[in-house]
């Protein structure tokens, strides 16, 4: 492997009653869901941003505008599949990604295996290349007040 590059992604979505809660490609059962132009999957969005950043290809909002009705309510897995195509078309492959979801409730940990399976399928990568971690913020800040969910991702890509 040569031509290593790293990328970083950060994103936040509001949580409100009456919305679906998509996270890491799966739907969580919860009284609140994430608000956004797309399906508001914060974990997939940070993965897209980290990959695009690593390839120096701008960000998710640049490629999939939240003003474009085409992306209203769109399944973020479609966006991630597109991003993987963008970076592979530039000659890159993904080494690994490492992510952290910040959410007070519900517990993310029981869902991590299903998220990894889903993300591996969407990204055409082995599950061993995808790390999903979760933390609360100890009831502090907007995450602690259950007003929102945030996530971080770092990604390593390399020229094939
Ligand atoms: Zn987002």
């Amino acid at each position: 492997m040569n031509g290593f590059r790293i990328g970083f992604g950060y994103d936040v979505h509001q949580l409100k009653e009456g919305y679906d809660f998509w996270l890491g490609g799966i739907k969580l059962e919860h009284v609140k869901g994430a608000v956004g132009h797309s399906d508001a999957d914060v974990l997939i969005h940070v993965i897209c941003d980290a990959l695009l950043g690593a390839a120096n290809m701008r960000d998710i909002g640049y490629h999939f505008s939240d003003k474009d009705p085409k992306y209203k309510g769109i399944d973020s897995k479609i966006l991630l599949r597109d991003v993987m195509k963008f970076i592979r078309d530039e000659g890159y492959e993904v080494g690994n990604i490492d992510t952290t979801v910040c959410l007070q409730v519900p517990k993310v940990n029981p869902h991590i295996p299903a998220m990894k399976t889903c993300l591996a399928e969407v990204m055409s990568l082995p599950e061993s290349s995808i790390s999903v971690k979760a933390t609360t913020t100890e009831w502090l800040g907007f995450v602690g007040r259950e007003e929102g969910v945030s996530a971080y991702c770092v990604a390593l890509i390399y020229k094939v």
Side-chain angles (χ1 to χ4, degrees):
M1 290 199 283
N2 56 39
F4 291 104
R5 299 179 65 97
I6 63 162
F8 171 73
Y10 170 68
D11 193 23
V12 175
H13 282 269
Q14 261 186 71
L15 292 176
K16 281 191 174 162
E17 284 175 25
Y19 288 81
D20 288 339
F21 197 172
W22 287 95
L23 192 63
I26 67 167
K27 196 170 152 185
L28 301 187
E29 288 306 319
H30 189 49
V31 288
K32 291 182 177 179
V35 183
H37 185 68
S38 66
D39 67 2
D41 190 322
V42 73
L43 179 52
I44 289 190
H45 292 178
V46 293
I47 295 170
C48 290
D49 263 353
L51 293 170
L52 290 169
N56 199 3
M57 294 175 72
R58 305 289 297 263
D59 60 30
I60 190 170
Y62 177 83
H63 293 279
F64 313 105
S65 169
D66 64 3
K67 307 283 181 291
D68 191 334
K70 185 164 67 174
Y71 300 119
K72 179 108 184 72
I74 196 170
D75 181 345
S76 292
K77 291 189 276 295
I78 294 167
L79 309 183
L80 179 55
R81 213 169 256 135
D82 281 357
V83 166
M84 289 301 294
K85 183 171 173 4
F86 296 161
I87 69 161
R88 284 183 172 133
D89 283 350
E90 290 296 314
Y92 292 111
E93 188 45 78
V94 176
N96 70 298
I97 62 165
D98 184 22
T99 66
T100 299
V101 176
C102 306
L103 181 65
Q104 193 61 49
V105 285
K107 285 226 171 300
V108 175
N109 269 323
H111 304 289
I112 287 177
M115 290 176 185
K116 287 178 64 171
T117 302
C118 175
L119 294 169
E121 193 274 316
V122 172
M123 300 174 77
S124 300
L125 286 176
E127 287 186 30
S128 58
S129 302
I130 300 167
S131 157
V132 179
K133 311 187 303 299
T135 185
T136 69
T137 58
E138 300 288 340
W139 308 101
L140 296 171
F142 68 84
V143 169
R145 291 190 298 269
E146 302 175 47
E147 294 167 0
V149 55
S150 65
Y152 303 86
C153 177
V154 289
L156 183 124
I157 65 173
Y158 60 95
K159 278 273 182 187
V160 219

